[in-house]
Amino acid sequence: METDLLRKYLEFYRDLGIQTLYKRPAAPKPPSAEPDQPAGHQPATAELPDLPALAPQGDTLFQILNDIGDCHRCRLHEGRSKIVFGVGNERSPLVFVGEGPGADEDAQGIPFVGRAGQLLTQMIENTAKKEGMHLLRDDVYICNVVKCRPPGNRTPEPDEMEICGQFLYRQLMAIRPKAICALGGTAARALTGHKEGVTKMRGKWFHWRDIPVIVTYHPSYLLRPYNQGAKREAWEDLKKAFHFVYD
Ligand code: URA
């Protein structure tokens, strides 16, 4: 392989901000008529963890959704009602990435439809209007780092992000937006690999591969009464993103 392919996989994880790889337990070997080969004579692939395929040529959102199927790849499937893949304009030059579905999203299978989602919709549409742009929620694409609701809305675990990250990676590669807006710390860390808090990162440009990423507060954070001051900053961040993408 082997080295080239392995390097590609490592770049793939690095692009997702994943620094640590978890080796999943190997599936039990089927009984074989062949005698066991001595160590050192095994094919190199036997030593590799169970790695996902990289984005196929000509990949589409339809194909990605199809590949997710009735996903049981991580423990998040246990409590989910619906997989929340993504919604909006598949050719959007701007993609919003959140953390993971909450209760309303899990029930409907659509990202950002609960209270935080309603705030996000208002933020998008009102900011655009104030800036003299006609932009509706349906004009952008919205998705999450993980596609199944973490129990009790906890932060997704690194291995869950790693497993689901392959699909976010493919979504972004298929859409190839002009910019990405990371909503909150989980999305910011997953996309940029930076570990600072959102307060430090917000309003700044980073990159996911060659695509500019702007970080802003997660709308759930802005719903808390003591964080109202941050709303103005989030509005500023969106303004910056819209002018970059649509001017
Ligand atoms: N929070 C998220 O991060 N994503 C959603 O889809 C809803 C709430």
Side-chain angles (χ1 to χ4, degrees), residues 98-102 105 111-112 144 218:
E99 178 175 300
E105 292 76 20
F112 283 102
N144 284 302
H218 193 287

Side-chain angles (χ1 to χ4, degrees), residues 155-184:
T155 306
E157 299 286 348
D159 63 329
E160 295 157 0
M161 286 167 59
E162 174 196 321
I163 294 164
C164 218
Q166 63 178 298
F167 300 112
L168 174 64
Y169 169 94
R170 286 178 58 189
Q171 281 173 299
L172 295 173
M173 290 294 277
I175 300 172
R176 286 211 63 80
K178 188 168 171 191
I180 301 167
C181 181
L183 300 167

